[in-house]
């Protein structure tokens, strides 16, 4: 089917999606509780939207459209409180984190929905291994051309969001030595990675997408698992590299950072994006996944290497006027503190040291999500 027309949105509006873990409070393993959670939440007032995800041990929640960080954070707190209350009713813990530290993918159950069954049939075991948890942030764009401009302009900053959100150091009981191991699972899909370098929406629509559709490989934008992708039905550009943070405060701060960055880039203060910007893209992405804030990144234009934490702090300083325009100052201050104190991945590793068991990770993650 043809690609939907790009819906015009108010520039820089925000929406957040969070994929969350459903955990048994008896053994802290994932539990197939999404059908019960969804049924319970349908019968109660919910401050956003909640939908199933590919396996029954996860759900996805979404905010409404917001203009500023403070209102977005307020709604995320309402959503969290509603989820915690529903979980308490069902004796189910709800938490963030990009991966569950010791669940076994083979034990997962695919949610009974046509698209999920199709994905499972196509990708085999990868579908159950996709029981990973990410945060997606949408930013409103006034045109498809603007969405593609922002998509490619943001490519240099993808490592920032990976490192600041990193919360997936453990997989199946082992420390992976990655701060964000989650993205390795995403990279296994053939239509993942970066979007093709196209800057005009009509070219993207009539040339790239139309050709891909004719191959029979894709039917809609949902078939692309790119790090950043346009969402024409929403009129947004969608950042998809973040692990789900342990707190809604960090989730809101990451959205505020993206909004301020899009405001800054939208002023055309940097050189136009170019295909050559992607020469170091996979290297920088790997550094952020593997080492988090301690990684090293290479600037795509100057080839200068710098510590990722220093690059983040320099960018936060650069965004002063954009943060003020978007009223995102509190969001950027939260992330400055994150750079100094360490990411959620560091916190989770510390919980294992203190508790001596991966169970301690899950217990701590549940408490953090609750706001304890």
């Amino acid at each position: 089917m043809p690609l939907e027309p790009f819906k015009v949105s108010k520039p820089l509006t925000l929406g957040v999606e969070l994929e969350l873990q459903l955990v048994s409070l008896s053994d802290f393993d994932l539990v197939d509780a999404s059908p019960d959670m969804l049924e319970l939440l349908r019968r109660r007032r919910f401050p956003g939207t909640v939908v199933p995800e590919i396996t029954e041990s996860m759900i996805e929640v979404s905010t409404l459209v917001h203009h500023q960080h403070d209102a977005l954070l307020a709604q995320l707190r309402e959503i969290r409180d509603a989820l915690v209350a529903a979980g308490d009713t069902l004796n189910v813990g709800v938490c963030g984190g990009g991966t569950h530290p010791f669940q076994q993918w083979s034990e997962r159950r695919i949610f009974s929905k046509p698209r999920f069954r199709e994905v499972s049939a196509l990708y085999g075991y990868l579908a159950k291994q996709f029981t990973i948890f990410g945060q997606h942030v949408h930013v409103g764009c006034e045109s498809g051309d603007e969405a593609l401009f922002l998509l490619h302009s943001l490519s240099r900053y993808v490592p920032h969001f990976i490192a600041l959100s990193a919360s997936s150091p453990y997989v199946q009981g082992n420390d992976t030595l990655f701060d964000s191991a989650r993205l390795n699972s995403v990279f296994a899909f053939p239509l993942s990675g970066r979007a093709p370098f196209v800057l005009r929406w009509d070219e993207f629509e009539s040339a790239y997408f139309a050709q891909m559709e004719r191959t029979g490989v894709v039917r809609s934008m949902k078939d692309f698992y790119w790090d950043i992708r346009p969402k024409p039905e929403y009129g947004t550009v969608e950042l998809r590299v973040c692990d789900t943070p342990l707190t809604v405060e960090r989730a809101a701060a990451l959205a505020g950072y993206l909004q301020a960055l899009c405001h800054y880039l939208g002023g055309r203060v940097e050189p136009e994006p170019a295909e050559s910007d992607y020469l170091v893209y996979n290297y920088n992405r790997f550094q952020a996944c593997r080492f988090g804030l301690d990684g090293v990144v290479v600037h795509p234009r100057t080839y200068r290497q710098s510590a990722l934490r220093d690059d983040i702090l320099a960018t936060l300083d650069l965004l002063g006027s954009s943060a003020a325009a978007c009223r995102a100052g509190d969001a950027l201050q939260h992330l400055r503190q994150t750079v100094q104190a360490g990411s959620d991945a560091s916190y989770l590793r510390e919980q294992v040291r203190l508790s001596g068991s991966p169970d301690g990770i899950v217990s701590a993650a549940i408490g953090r999500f609750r706001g304890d």
Side-chain angles (χ1 to χ4, degrees):
M1 58 185 297
L3 188 62
E4 295 185 44
F6 194 91
K7 178 182 177 182
V8 177
S9 293
K10 186 170 183 180
L12 303 177
T13 47
L14 284 176
V16 165
E17 300 163 355
L18 296 176
E19 296 163 345
L20 295 163
Q21 305 185 35
L22 302 178
V23 178
S24 166
L25 296 179
S26 60
D27 61 6
F28 293 114
D29 200 354
L30 290 179
V31 62
D32 298 324
S34 67
D36 292 337
M37 281 284 287
L38 291 166
E39 180 59 31
L40 181 59
L41 291 168
R42 284 191 191 100
R43 292 189 263 117
R44 300 182 177 184
R45 178 189 171 273
F46 192 76
T49 61
V50 57
V51 296
E53 255 300 340
I54 190 163
T55 65
E56 292 186 354
S57 50
M58 52 196 307
I59 56 171
E60 181 181 89
V61 296
S62 304
T63 67
L64 303 176
V65 177
H66 292 278
H67 295 80
Q68 295 173 7
H69 163 262
D70 55 354
L72 175 70
L73 175 56
Q75 185 171 51
L76 281 172
R77 285 172 171 161
E78 284 187 69
I79 289 172
R80 174 202 61 197
D81 293 345
L83 292 173
V84 167
D88 288 346
T89 300
L90 298 172
N91 199 34
V92 170
V94 182
C95 65
T99 56
H100 185 279
F102 58 85
Q103 68 97 11
Q104 299 295 310
W105 63 263
S106 60
E107 298 175 359
R108 302 283 62 86
R109 182 184 300 165
I110 300 296
F111 191 93
S112 182
K113 184 178 177 181
R115 174 168 170 77
F116 295 152
R117 290 196 295 269
E118 290 173 10
V119 170
S120 179
L122 175 61
Y123 291 112
Y125 83 106
L126 291 179
K128 289 187 177 182
Q129 281 202 336
F130 213 50
T131 306
I132 52 176
F133 308 87
Q135 171 181 352
H136 304 162
V137 185
H138 292 262
V139 178
C141 303
E142 60 186 0
S143 69
D145 287 358
E146 184 70 10
L148 292 172
F149 168 83
L150 287 175
L151 185 158
H152 294 295
S153 298
L154 286 166
S155 65
R156 187 180 97 70
Y157 301 96
V158 160
H160 293 199
F161 290 92
I162 294 173
L164 288 167
S165 68
S167 61
S168 54
Y170 290 89
V171 174
Q172 298 202 350
N174 296 293
D175 188 337
T176 65
L177 301 184
F178 279 70
D179 274 19
S180 176
R182 165 186 161 270
L183 281 174
N184 293 328
S185 296
V186 180
F187 227 27
F189 285 78
L191 298 177
S192 62
R194 48 155 289 200
F197 189 76
V198 180
L199 288 174
R200 291 187 55 83
W201 185 256
D202 57 358
E203 182 182 352
F204 178 85
E205 182 178 25
S206 62
Y208 177 79
F209 184 85
Q211 290 182 35
M212 287 296 292
E213 186 186 29
R214 283 198 295 273
T215 68
V217 174
V218 302
R219 290 184 293 176
S220 74
M221 287 302 301
K222 288 183 178 180
D223 295 316
F224 296 109
Y225 293 85
W226 296 331
D227 292 344
I228 315 175
R229 70 182 180 189
K231 288 290 281 184
E233 65 268 37
Y234 295 157
T236 65
V237 61
E238 178 190 15
L239 179 74
R240 299 166 50 82
V241 297
C242 295
D243 287 354
T244 298
L246 299 183
T247 66
V248 294
E249 285 76 18
R250 184 150 306 162
L254 290 164
Y257 181 29
L258 182 62
Q259 183 187 42
L261 196 51
C262 287
H263 180 278
Y264 170 79
L265 294 170
R268 301 311 198 262
V269 293
E270 293 192 350
E272 287 285 306
E275 174 65 41
S276 59
D277 293 341
Y278 288 98
L279 285 173
V280 293
Y281 181 82
N282 284 339
Y283 175 81
N284 289 345
R285 186 183 188 275
F286 167 79
Q287 283 280 319
C289 290
R290 171 64 177 85
F291 302 107
L293 295 167
D294 294 325
V296 174
V297 291
V298 180
H299 193 286
R301 298 293 175 97
T302 66
Y303 307 143
R304 182 175 64 88
Q305 294 194 14
S306 59
L308 180 50
R309 65 176 67 247
D310 293 341
D311 197 45
I312 292 171
L313 290 173
T315 304
L316 292 174
D317 290 341
L318 190 65
L319 296 182
S321 59
S322 289
C326 297
R327 298 188 181 179
D330 289 345
L332 270 57
Q333 182 57 29
H334 177 103
L335 297 180
R336 285 190 185 92
Q337 294 169 354
T338 302
V339 173
Q340 300 301 330
S343 67
D344 285 340
S346 300
Y347 172 81
L348 293 173
R349 286 193 170 102
E350 178 66 8
Q351 297 312 301
V352 170
R353 189 188 70 81
L354 293 173
S355 68
S357 166
D359 291 8
I361 292 182
V362 184
S363 179
I366 291 171
R368 274 217 156 181
F369 186 75
R370 296 178 71 98
D372 293 347

